[in-house]
Amino acid sequence: MDHLPIFFDVRGKYVAVVGGGTIAARKTEMVLRAGGRVTVFAPELGPDFLEILRHDGLSHSSAPVSREALAGAVLAYGASEDAATDNHLFELARELGIPANIADTPEKCDFIMPAILDRDPLVVAISSSGSSPILARIIKARLESVIPAAYGRLARFVGRHREKVSAALKRGTDRRRFWERVLEGPIADLVLAGADDQAEDEIAALIAASGKAAEAPMPGEVYLVGAGPGDPDLLTFKALRLIQRADVVLYDRLIDDCILNLVRRDAERIYVGKMNRDHTMPQEDISKLMVRLAKEGRRVLRLKGGDPFIFGRGGEEIEELAKESIPFQVVPGITAASGCSAYAGIPLTHRDHAQACIFVTGHGKNGKLDLDWKTLLQPHQTVVIYMGLSMLPELSREFLERGADAGLPVAVVDHGTRRTQRVVSGTIADIAGKVAAAEFTGPSLVIIGSVVTLRDRLKWYAPESSASDEGDCLRTLSLDPIEIQTSEPETA
Ligand code: SAH
């Protein structure tokens, strides 16, 4: 992040603007709207100032800005469109320690002006850190269409009841839940629809009811959420909503930072992952921990790579919850097989190649594979092996010994759907050697079957990941239902 995003209180404070043209008028107007006092230094003021000229907080000086005149300003804007004049202001501001902003000159900006969406008192500021003001404006335009003007009224409504609610509900978690109930439920709908009287009655009733309920802690719940194979754009809307609602998150190694960053900043994060064979936390302890946290009244997010019910031990975790009568929700995720196959350009089924697809785990008990070989060796099907990387040499040897064709196509996808995704393809006879040479680190998925040969034709259309590279998490924000984006096929 190149800039610190802050909202600066200029009410009653002096701000200097140099210039009498359109840009200067816009900056002046913004400062006036925020309650600042502005002195505009310009030989004369252009027509854009006509509208704001009568504003109480505005004065005009036709003399050039001097050190004395600038003293006491909290901010200085150079917008004269004359380099020497703006430069002079910048030098003076430097000497006096006043943060300056010289229009269209990023190297002479101590601060930049975001694009804003104004639903006073709700204000959304958007910045591209100066790299593309147009992109910031496009995002603003999209937000304009999904944040109705009435949200300002909603924010004022909340503001009016804040003190009362704080008095009735002492615990921060209770207050947060109360406001979520208001803002995501019928009361907000009433305010947005202009039915303020009815909304007032409803919120009064809710405050009374919550005050009583608050004496006993509200019961917590658990969200078992599939986070997909890595690319945050593959999360579901429901996953995102619950991720942002949780008070505490239990996550493991398969969860990408981009996804973890979507968790509320004040939520507690607990790593319960497994590193190789060194189990950080045994499964029973994870289940017990979830039960304990939920009993404390917390909303517990259990983030799982891929889908919680596919080799994710999700079933075991909720068994414990059910036994203890803890309310829970399970959110399916895109499993590694779907994610990896799509991003590698390998359809799992295909009319000419495979009419069935089997998911198995290659994680052998005590280093021994325990698989139903008769089923795996059937023709016209695709076999997907989870957790098969370390056993790949044994797996391919067994396939061959049990009669598989040495030319049976195989692909291994490492870090599927992430920026770091790599795919190696070959045959059941040579795949283990190729993967060893490529030094895959995992997570890796093994795909066996003639669908693998389609990759050469289809890989060009495989979607691009939005995960992992630094700064790339930005696209994740487009997960907001507002901005559903589909990846353009890569054509070159
Ligand atoms: N519940 C998860 C699977 C957990 S088992 C799901 O539905 O995807 C862990 C195994 O999943 C890994 O050993 C690997 O085989 C596979 N896997 C998970 N994420 C992957 C990824 N991004 N790329 C390749 N394989 C992945």
Side-chain angles (χ1 to χ4, degrees):
M1 202 155 57
D2 290 336
H3 295 84
L4 174 72
I6 54 170
F7 286 82
F8 188 54
D9 183 0
V10 293
R11 277 173 305 173
K13 292 175 192 155
Y14 165 38
V15 174
V17 175
V18 172
T22 308
I23 304 173
R26 261 193 238 129
K27 312 261 182 202
T28 303
E29 195 192 347
M30 284 294 284
V31 177
L32 291 174
R33 262 165 67 186
R37 289 186 295 110
V38 180
T39 299
V40 181
F41 297 88
E44 54 193 33
L45 300 180
D48 290 293
F49 274 90
L50 273 181
E51 287 265 318
I52 46 177
L53 217 46
R54 264 164 296 150
H55 200 291
D56 281 347
L58 177 65
S59 53
H60 173 214
S61 163
S62 47
V65 69
S66 64
R67 202 171 195 284
E68 293 67 34
L70 190 60
V74 292
L75 296 173
Y77 289 94
S80 69
E81 297 171 59
D82 172 70
T85 309
D86 284 349
N87 224 0
H88 177 58
L89 172 75
F90 185 70
E91 298 297 331
L92 287 178
R94 263 286 131 86
E95 277 174 37
L96 294 166
I98 300 168
N101 171 296
I102 306 301
D104 291 328
T105 319
E107 66 281 8
K108 290 190 174 154
C109 284
D110 296 312
F111 62 95
I112 55 176
M113 300 291 280
I116 66 156
L117 177 82
D118 190 357
R119 301 283 185 265
D120 185 55
L122 177 78
V123 178
V124 181
I126 304 140
S127 159
S128 65
S129 303
S131 57
S132 174
I134 295 180
L135 178 64
R137 279 211 301 275
I138 291 172
I139 292 175
K140 168 194 148 100
R142 294 199 186 175
L143 291 176
E144 290 277 2
S145 62
V146 291
I147 302 184
Y151 267 65
R153 204 162 60 226
L154 184 59
R156 278 194 294 278
F157 176 84
V158 171
R160 274 204 302 280
H161 293 90
R162 250 182 94 165
E163 275 186 24
K164 247 180 290 170
V165 172
S166 302
L169 301 174
K170 296 289 177 228
R171 265 194 306 261
T173 43
D174 291 341
R175 282 199 296 274
R176 190 161 56 228
R177 255 186 252 180
F178 175 89
W179 284 121
E180 278 167 3
R181 236 173 111 179
V182 170
L183 291 169
E184 290 171 358
I187 298 182
D189 291 340
L190 287 170
V191 178
L192 291 175
D196 281 30
D197 287 350
Q198 211 180 327
E200 292 289 348
D201 292 347
E202 298 266 339
I203 198 168
L206 191 61
I207 292 173
S210 306
K212 268 184 233 130
E215 285 155 22
M218 289 207 202
E221 52 181 332
V222 174
Y223 315 129
L224 186 62
V225 171
D231 184 348
D233 269 9
L234 295 179
L235 281 175
T236 60
F237 294 138
K238 188 166 183 183
L240 182 62
R241 203 163 59 238
L242 297 182
I243 285 174
Q244 295 188 335
R245 194 181 291 171
D247 306 310
V248 48
V249 50
L250 275 55
Y251 68 100
D252 49 45
R253 195 167 55 96
L254 282 179
I255 304 299
D256 199 278
D257 273 354
C258 280
I259 292 173
L260 210 52
N261 286 339
L262 297 170
V263 171
R264 272 204 339 260
R265 235 181 293 176
D266 59 339
E268 187 184 347
R269 295 155 189 229
I270 304 177
Y271 179 75
V272 294
K274 301 174 180 107
M275 288 284 188
N276 306 322
R277 281 179 198 97
D278 161 29
H279 289 223
T280 320
M281 189 178 281
Q283 190 62 50
E284 326 72 273
D285 290 2
I286 298 179
S287 304
K288 284 205 188 94
L289 179 62
M290 289 199 296
V291 168
R292 180 169 64 73
L293 292 167
K295 281 189 173 167
E296 283 169 10
R298 305 225 262 168
R299 287 166 302 182
V300 185
L301 171 70
R302 174 67 174 118
L303 266 184
K304 289 277 189 183
D307 182 279
F309 282 178
I310 295 184
F311 306 124
R313 309 190 74 171
E316 287 152 77
E317 292 185 7
I318 55 175
E319 225 169 86
E320 192 68 27
L321 299 172
K323 215 161 47 186
E324 298 277 348
S325 307
I326 306 279
F328 62 84
Q329 300 188 44
V330 181
V331 181
I334 291 195
T335 187
S338 303
C340 295
S341 67
Y343 279 51
I346 303 170
L348 292 179
T349 66
H350 188 287
R351 212 171 49 168
D352 304 332
H353 295 266
Q355 279 72 49
C357 176
I358 305 177
F359 295 174
V360 295
T361 167
H363 194 72
K365 262 192 191 152
N366 312 322
K368 279 204 151 157
L369 289 166
D370 180 18
L371 292 167
D372 177 0
W373 290 100
K374 193 162 168 271
T375 311
L376 294 192
L377 288 163
Q378 294 297 316
H380 310 296
Q381 68 178 8
T382 306
V383 176
V384 177
I385 306 179
Y386 286 71
M387 296 176 268
L389 182 65
S390 61
M391 298 292 280
L392 193 58
E394 290 81 351
L395 273 166
S396 17
R397 203 173 43 239
E398 288 256 10
F399 262 92
L400 286 168
E401 280 173 6
R402 290 168 191 269
D405 187 317
L408 179 64
V410 184
V412 179
V413 184
D414 192 52
H415 288 217
T417 80
R418 300 174 190 198
R419 271 289 150 88
T420 44
Q421 170 174 305
R422 286 193 294 156
V423 185
V424 161
S425 51
T427 63
I428 196 75
D430 66 14
I431 194 72
K434 283 182 164 179
V435 166
E439 297 182 349
F440 280 2
T441 54
S444 295
L445 194 80
V446 183
I447 305 176
I448 304 175
S450 70
V451 286
V452 168
T453 59
L454 295 166
R455 174 173 151 77
D456 286 339
R457 270 191 283 143
L458 300 180
K459 66 181 172 190
W460 305 114
Y461 301 102
E464 221 182 74
S465 174
S466 64
S468 283
D469 277 7
E470 231 192 303
D472 260 354
C473 301
L474 182 72
R475 257 189 75 201
T476 306
L477 297 176
S478 73
L479 278 167
D480 212 320
I482 327 151
E483 292 186 27
I484 306 164
Q485 279 195 0
T486 48
S487 306
E488 288 295 320
E490 198 184 303
T491 47

